Amino acid sequence: MRHTARKIAASIAAGLLALTVAACSSDETKPEETAPSAPTQPAEPAQPSAPPAATTTAAAEPGQTADARNKAALQAISTAADAAKGTPFEIDAEDDEGAWEVHVMVDTRTHEVEVSADGRTVTKQEDEEADRDDTRRLGQAGLSLSHAIEAALREVPGTLDDVELADDNDIAVWEVTIDTPDADDVEVLIDVRDGRVVRVDR
């Protein structure tokens, strides 16, 4: 009986030992059986990222269409007028950066307002005593700078270069300079009083 009981106890102990070993080996292999860790996400670069903001506004910068450049000039005039709180009377395209310099009359002073190429941001502003001739010519104007540009571009389609006040045979005029596919610096003289095209100098 004792011999039999020992055998039974030994069998039970052996069974328990076998179960323990099996459980341990199962636990040790578990990490290898688990699904491989998710790959880090360099698959993302395969999807193109959104283009930089600069490319979305490039149409208003130099080297783009004449229409976009002219619209940027008109926007620059509006931006400068709001910034200086006066009457714009001159605009010049800055060749190096494509920005705009707009002159705005405020009482007896001229504000020189530098505006970004897209015409929306003032980058610099300073003022000085206004030129008497500019004050006189602007006092006769029944046509704004922006309307003078539009009238000149209807007469000579192209890309605006600059505009200033001048005199032509004792008539105050907007002197609008336009670059065309055929020629640079075509000057369109617009009567400041009524918008009539006085002359085109090619």
Side-chain angles (χ1 to χ4, degrees), residues 1 9 23 35 48 109 127 134 158 163 172 178 180 183 196 200-202:
M1 287 284 285
R109 298 193 72 77
D127 69 286
D134 284 337
V163 187
I178 298 170
T180 72
R196 176 177 60 89
V200 176
D201 293 334
R202 295 181 182 273

Side-chain angles (χ1 to χ4, degrees), residues 16-172:
L16 286 172
L17 181 61
L19 284 172
T20 303
V21 170
C24 286
S25 65
S26 169
D27 285 345
E28 287 170 5
T29 57
K30 241 178 197 170
E32 299 178 56
E33 290 171 3
T34 54
S37 57
T40 51
Q41 303 288 352
E44 294 293 334
Q47 300 175 356
S49 56
T55 60
T56 62
T57 59
E61 296 176 1
Q64 302 304 313
T65 66
D67 183 56
R69 186 67 175 152
N70 295 337
K71 284 180 180 176
L74 295 174
Q75 179 62 56
I77 291 168
S78 175
T79 299
D82 289 344
K85 300 191 176 2
T87 306
F89 66 93
E90 186 174 315
I91 184 170
D92 186 22
E94 299 293 297
D95 294 331
D96 294 339
E97 302 171 5
W100 303 98
E101 183 177 275
V102 183
H103 290 200
V104 182
M105 189 74 73
V106 182
D107 297 326
T108 60
R109 298 193 72 77
T110 294
H111 288 241
E112 294 179 6
V113 184
E114 289 187 11
V115 184
S116 59
D118 63 5
R120 298 185 180 278
T121 306
V122 172
T123 57
K124 185 180 177 184
Q125 185 175 169
E126 55 188 33
D127 69 286
E128 62 184 12
E129 192 69 27
D131 180 82
R132 288 184 180 180
D133 285 333
D134 284 337
T135 303
R136 170 182 56 80
R137 294 171 188 130
L138 190 58
Q140 299 174 31
L143 186 76
S144 70
L145 173 60
S146 294
H147 287 148
I149 291 170
E150 291 168 350
L153 288 170
R154 282 194 297 270
E155 183 72 19
V156 178
T159 305
L160 180 72
D161 190 358
D162 62 69
V163 187
E164 62 183 7
L165 286 168
D167 290 319
D168 182 71
N169 295 325
D170 297 327
I171 298 174

